[in-house]
């Protein structure tokens, strides 16, 4: 009893108090001094992830001042052609970290530190941490300027809030509710009804059915289509939120499903973590996303889905229709302001034969809760426990009729089945004829293009990490990257050197620029593939001829070099 009380006092109570403190006493100020509008909200559905922050509009411009949302110290700085681009992390005394992404540039006192690090590492891309109190900032202090760097789709500020210790992602919206106007209800596009394979049927079919709701008044919908069902079914919905003064669409914050007024499923998107963020692929109808680029949020919770968003789920969201009667179905969808939309529909319980589902030929049954290993002629594939969200029957195939490849083409499942973690794939190279073994890579032959995976060669095999299913084979990349100078005749007048770089197979791994034999920083925009250097008198002497040397290496080790003399 004594030890239990001590545990309560030293472990549970401090955690409880810190949560209360975090929610009730943090003062977060706007990082922008303009009226706030969102282009994206927290929890919005994205490709392979939930959106983890708020995207603040910057009036279609770059270069707006960004201010620290609270006092603290700069704990991390990241620069990359992709992802968050230029990003700044500030730790606060409250135990919260704020993140500012897609920046155009840092404030001068921070930029000086970044440049020093880039020249030390001789790399544009850097990611480094600062010691506590090494670079203090006050609330409202200028720290950066807004931009469009990295994987940004347009000028905006990506703003995140994280628990500093765990890095779990907090929904920042409650801290900005008095600065954003939202009186609009979510809109519903369509509702899907899914029969569970081998256990349910809808209108005599084992395939999903789609219904388009009719709007009655704002926030109220009804589905007039007639559906008969028997056995196990679950639901899905395509819906978006809206806000005042913008035409953007956003993700749904809260969703509930009732059958005959009894709740069977609900979620509320608040705290997320990077470890499980990819499990958005289990929440959505992944096959529909892959085929049609649309998001249906399913009510089915797969046993390997560890998302923390679910609040009231019965039987994993599966509803059993076992009586011949009308079942009243109700969806309730809400935003963080409490604006709610309701969809009503009827499912008629009618006895009907459930289509038989036989175990498919040439397949492996893979349980989600175990490590799975597939061995075949010239192939070894290991899926660790946690790679699957649920048991699957994996389609397996082998085709040796492609003369242009260096191994057979292996079919390992279908593209419309998601994987959560990386898996280890080892393929034998049946035509091991090239001298430079680094030039081998594994290609995933997708319906909409090819993906390249470079790995390690050993004893006639190449081993790579993959996180998608599909068709795989071995190819060779012996073609160097490309370097295209952009208006070199203007370099001397503008003081800017611009090059477009690219690679058609394995992808760019690294790039490096030198002027007069000394390293200089070329910034890189992953969206345009343009590398750029702005000449500085502190590093390049003005009024003379200079020599540029630029080198690009792809992921298979092929090198392209470009040299040019210019006057500045």
């Amino acid at each position: 009893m004594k030890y239990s009380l001590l545990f309560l006092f030293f472990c549970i109570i401090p955690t409880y108090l810190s949560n209360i403190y975090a929610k009730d006493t943090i003062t977060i100020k706007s990082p922008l001094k303009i009226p706030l509008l969102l282009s994206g909200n927290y929890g919005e559905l994205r490709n392979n992830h939930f959106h983890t922050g708020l995207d603040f509009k910057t009036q279609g411009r770059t270069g707006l001042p960004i201010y620290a949302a609270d006092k603290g110290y700069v704990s991390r700085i990241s620069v990359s052609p992709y992802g968050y681009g230029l990003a700044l992390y500030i730790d606060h005394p409250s135990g919260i970290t704020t993140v500012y992404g897609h920046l155009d540039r840092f404030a001068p006192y921070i930029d000086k530190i970044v440049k020093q690090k880039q020249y030390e590492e001789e790399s544009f891309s850097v990611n480094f941490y600062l010691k506590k109190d090494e670079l203090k900032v006050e609330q409202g202090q200028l720290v950066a300027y807004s931009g469009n760097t990295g994987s940004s789709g347009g000028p905006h500020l990506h703003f995140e809030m994280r628990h500093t210790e765990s890095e779990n992602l907090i929904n920042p919206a409650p801290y900005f509710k008095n600065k954003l106007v939202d009186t609009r209800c979510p809109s519903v596009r369509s509702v899907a009804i899914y029969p569970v394979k081998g256990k349910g049927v809808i209108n005599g079919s084992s395939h999903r059915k789609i219904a388009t709701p009719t709007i009655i008044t704002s926030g109220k919908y009804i589905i007039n289509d007639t559906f008969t069902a028997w056995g196990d079914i679950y639901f899905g919905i395509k819906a978006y939120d809206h806000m005042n003064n913008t035409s953007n669409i956003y993700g749904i914050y809260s969703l509930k499903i009732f059958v005959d007024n009894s709740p069977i499923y609900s979620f509320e998107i608040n705290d997320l973590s990077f470890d499980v963020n990819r499990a958005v692929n289990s929440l959505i109808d992944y096959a529909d996303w892959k085929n049609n680029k649309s998001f249906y949020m399913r009510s089915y919770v797969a046993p390997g889905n560890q998302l923390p968003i679910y609040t009231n789920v019965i039987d994993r969201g599966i509803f059993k229709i076992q009586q011949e009667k009308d079942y009243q179905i109700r969806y309730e969808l809400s935003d963080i302001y409490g604006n709610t939309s309701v969809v009503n529909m009827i499912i008629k319980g009618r006895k009907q034969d459930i289509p038989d589902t036989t175990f498919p030929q040439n397949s492996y049954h893979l349980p989600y809760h175990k490590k799975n290993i597939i061995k075949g002629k010239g192939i070894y594939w290991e899926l660790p426990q946690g790679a699957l969200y649920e048991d699957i029957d994996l389609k397996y195939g082998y085709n040796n009729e492609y003369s242009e490849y260096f191994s057979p083409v292996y079919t390992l499942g279908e593209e419309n089945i998601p994987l959560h973690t990386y898996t280890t794939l080892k393929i034998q190279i049946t035509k091991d004829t090239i001298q430079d073994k680094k030039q081998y890579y594994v290609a995933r032959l997708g319906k909409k293009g090819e993906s390249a995976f470079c790995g390690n060669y050993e004893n006639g095999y190449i081993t790579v990490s993959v996180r998608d299913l599909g068709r795989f084979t071995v190819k060779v990349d012996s073609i160097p990257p490309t370097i295209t100078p952009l208006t070199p005749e203007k370099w001397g007048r503008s003081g800017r050197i611009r090059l477009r770089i690219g690679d058609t197979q394995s992808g760019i791994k690294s790039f490096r620029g030198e002027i007069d034999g000394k390293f200089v920083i070329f910034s890189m925009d992953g969206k345009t593939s343009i590398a750029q250097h702005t000449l500085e008198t502190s590093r390049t002497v003005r009024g003379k001829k200079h020599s540029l040397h630029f080198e690009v290496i792809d992921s298979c080790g092929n090198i392209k070099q470009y040299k040019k003399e210019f006057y500045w």
Side-chain angles (χ1 to χ4, degrees), residues 346-460:
I346 293 174
I347 301 289
K348 294 181 177 292
R350 297 292 185 269
K351 282 186 179 180
Q352 48 194 300
D353 292 335
I354 296 174
D356 184 32
T357 55
T358 56
F359 190 77
Q361 290 184 340
N362 300 320
S363 64
Y364 289 85
H365 182 74
L366 306 183
Y368 82 94
H369 61 288
K370 295 181 180 180
K371 180 172 78 171
N372 292 282
I373 294 176
I374 292 176
K375 295 179 181 179
K377 185 178 180 181
I379 189 169
Y380 174 90
W381 188 32
E382 183 176 307
L383 293 83
Q385 182 180 342
L388 298 171
Y389 298 111
E390 58 188 322
D391 294 0
I392 65 170
D393 294 328
L394 181 91
K395 182 180 178 182
Y396 174 78
Y398 172 98
N399 191 328
N400 202 19
E401 297 178 359
Y402 297 91
S403 59
E404 68 268 34
Y405 302 140
F406 288 74
S407 80
V409 175
Y410 294 94
T411 297
L412 302 175
E414 299 179 3
E415 291 184 32
N416 59 8
I417 298 174
L419 292 177
H420 188 70
T421 60
Y422 281 101
T423 65
T424 301
L425 177 61
K426 186 176 181 180
I427 298 179
Q428 184 179 23
I429 301 165
T430 52
K431 294 186 289 185
D432 193 357
T433 56
I434 65 170
Q435 189 73 24
D436 187 354
K437 307 303 182 183
K438 295 194 303 295
Q439 293 181 344
Y440 288 120
Y441 71 96
V442 171
R444 178 174 171 268
L445 309 176
K447 295 177 182 177
K448 299 181 180 180
E450 178 185 302
S451 302
F453 303 89
C454 296
N456 298 318
Y457 172 92
E458 186 177 4
N459 299 326

Side-chain angles (χ1 to χ4, degrees), residues 274-339:
F274 290 110
D275 290 340
V276 299
N277 203 15
R278 188 177 169 89
V280 67
N281 290 332
S282 183
L283 168 70
I284 65 172
D285 183 335
Y286 187 73
D288 192 73
W289 161 248
K290 294 295 286 186
N291 294 327
N292 304 311
K293 295 303 178 195
S294 69
F295 285 118
Y296 277 93
M297 297 171 283
R298 304 187 304 163
S299 65
Y300 169 64
V301 183
N305 176 355
Q306 301 300 314
L307 285 172
I309 65 175
Y310 303 108
T311 54
N312 187 4
V313 177
I314 297 173
D315 292 334
R316 301 201 171 277
I318 295 172
F319 181 68
K320 296 181 182 295
I321 294 184
Q322 299 173 322
Q323 299 180 54
E324 289 196 320
K325 69 165 200 169
D326 288 356
Y327 293 85
Q328 305 288 333
I329 314 300
R330 185 173 81 252
Y331 260 107
E332 293 182 1
L333 303 96
S334 302
D335 62 27
I336 203 160
Y337 284 79
N339 303 304

Side-chain angles (χ1 to χ4, degrees), residues 117-358:
K117 190 70 172 178
Q118 288 174 315
Y119 275 102
E120 283 177 4
E121 297 188 5
E122 296 195 350
S123 172
F124 167 68
S125 297
V126 291
N127 179 30
F128 60 100
Y129 296 81
L130 289 82
K131 296 178 182 177
K132 186 176 182 180
D133 299 336
E134 185 177 344
L135 185 55
K136 291 183 179 181
V137 293
E138 295 298 321
Q139 188 176 53
Q141 182 175 335
L142 176 71
V143 293
Y145 297 87
S146 69
N148 186 29
T149 58
S151 302
S152 168
H156 72 280
L157 170 67
H158 176 81
F159 179 81
E160 280 181 16
M161 293 177 64
R162 304 180 182 181
H163 293 289
T164 302
E165 261 191 58
S166 67
E167 286 202 276
N168 284 357
L169 298 138
I170 302 166
N171 189 346
Y175 299 92
F176 294 92
K177 286 180 77 172
N178 62 340
K179 297 179 177 67
L180 295 164
V181 180
D182 186 359
T183 60
R184 301 177 65 187
C185 299
S187 64
V188 180
R189 306 291 176 85
S190 53
V191 172
I193 309 107
Y194 298 83
V196 176
K197 187 178 179 181
K199 295 182 179 181
V201 60
I202 299 170
N203 290 1
S205 173
S206 58
H207 299 289
R208 74 171 188 177
K209 299 297 178 183
I210 301 295
T212 302
T214 299
I215 187 166
I216 302 172
T217 59
S218 178
K220 292 188 178 181
Y221 297 81
I222 189 168
I223 292 175
N224 295 312
D225 302 28
T226 300
F227 294 98
T228 63
W230 196 253
D232 293 357
I233 67 169
Y234 61 91
F235 302 96
I237 192 166
K238 185 193 293 187
Y240 303 99
D241 193 24
H242 305 270
M243 299 185 75
N244 298 46
N245 306 315
T246 77
S247 59
N248 295 78
I249 57 174
Y250 309 98
I252 300 299
Y253 169 68
S254 171
L255 183 150
K256 300 175 183 177
I257 302 175
F258 299 83
V259 176
D260 294 338
N261 291 321
S262 296
I264 65 165
Y265 172 92
S266 63
F267 72 63
E268 191 173 279
I269 303 179
N270 283 310
D271 282 16
L272 294 168
S273 75
F274 290 110
D275 290 340
V276 299
N277 203 15
R278 188 177 169 89
V280 67
N281 290 332
S282 183
L283 168 70
I284 65 172
D285 183 335
Y286 187 73
D288 192 73
W289 161 248
K290 294 295 286 186
N291 294 327
N292 304 311
K293 295 303 178 195
S294 69
F295 285 118
Y296 277 93
M297 297 171 283
R298 304 187 304 163
S299 65
Y300 169 64
V301 183
N305 176 355
Q306 301 300 314
L307 285 172
I309 65 175
Y310 303 108
T311 54
N312 187 4
V313 177
I314 297 173
D315 292 334
R316 301 201 171 277
I318 295 172
F319 181 68
K320 296 181 182 295
I321 294 184
Q322 299 173 322
Q323 299 180 54
E324 289 196 320
K325 69 165 200 169
D326 288 356
Y327 293 85
Q328 305 288 333
I329 314 300
R330 185 173 81 252
Y331 260 107
E332 293 182 1
L333 303 96
S334 302
D335 62 27
I336 203 160
Y337 284 79
N339 303 304
T340 300
S341 291
V342 177
V343 185
N344 284 290
M345 66 182 298
I346 293 174
I347 301 289
K348 294 181 177 292
R350 297 292 185 269
K351 282 186 179 180
Q352 48 194 300
D353 292 335
I354 296 174
D356 184 32
T357 55
T358 56

Side-chain angles (χ1 to χ4, degrees), residues 36-83:
L36 296 184
L37 293 172
L38 298 184
S39 59
N41 70 335
Y42 179 91
E44 193 172 297
L45 306 177
R46 300 284 179 90
N47 182 31
N48 293 323
H49 68 284
F50 291 95
H51 188 238
T52 53
L54 299 179
D55 283 348
F56 290 115
K57 292 188 177 188
T58 55
Q59 301 175 336
R61 299 181 290 159
T62 62
L64 296 186
I66 303 297
Y67 303 95
D70 196 5
K71 68 177 182 180
Y73 71 96
V74 176
S75 58
R76 178 184 171 191
I77 302 173
S78 175
V79 177
S80 170
Y82 313 103

Side-chain angles (χ1 to χ4, degrees), residues 12-118:
I12 297 177
I13 290 177
T15 302
Y16 171 77
L17 290 176
S18 67
N19 289 337
I20 294 295
Y21 172 75
K23 289 181 180 179
D24 295 348
T25 64
I26 296 176
T27 303
I28 295 293
K29 284 192 174 180
S30 173
L32 290 161
K33 291 186 178 178
I34 58 172
L36 296 184
L37 293 172
L38 298 184
S39 59
N41 70 335
Y42 179 91
E44 193 172 297
L45 306 177
R46 300 284 179 90
N47 182 31
N48 293 323
H49 68 284
F50 291 95
H51 188 238
T52 53
L54 299 179
D55 283 348
F56 290 115
K57 292 188 177 188
T58 55
Q59 301 175 336
R61 299 181 290 159
T62 62
L64 296 186
I66 303 297
Y67 303 95
D70 196 5
K71 68 177 182 180
Y73 71 96
V74 176
S75 58
R76 178 184 171 191
I77 302 173
S78 175
V79 177
S80 170
Y82 313 103
Y84 288 1
L86 275 64
L88 193 69
Y89 301 71
I90 300 177
D91 287 6
H92 306 289
S94 58
I96 299 298
T97 297
T98 52
V99 183
Y100 312 76
H102 305 306
L103 304 170
D104 182 69
R105 62 193 187 276
F106 302 105
Y109 65 96
I110 297 176
D111 187 62
K112 182 179 179 181
I113 296 171
V114 175
K115 276 191 176 179
Q116 181 179 341
K117 190 70 172 178
Q118 288 174 315

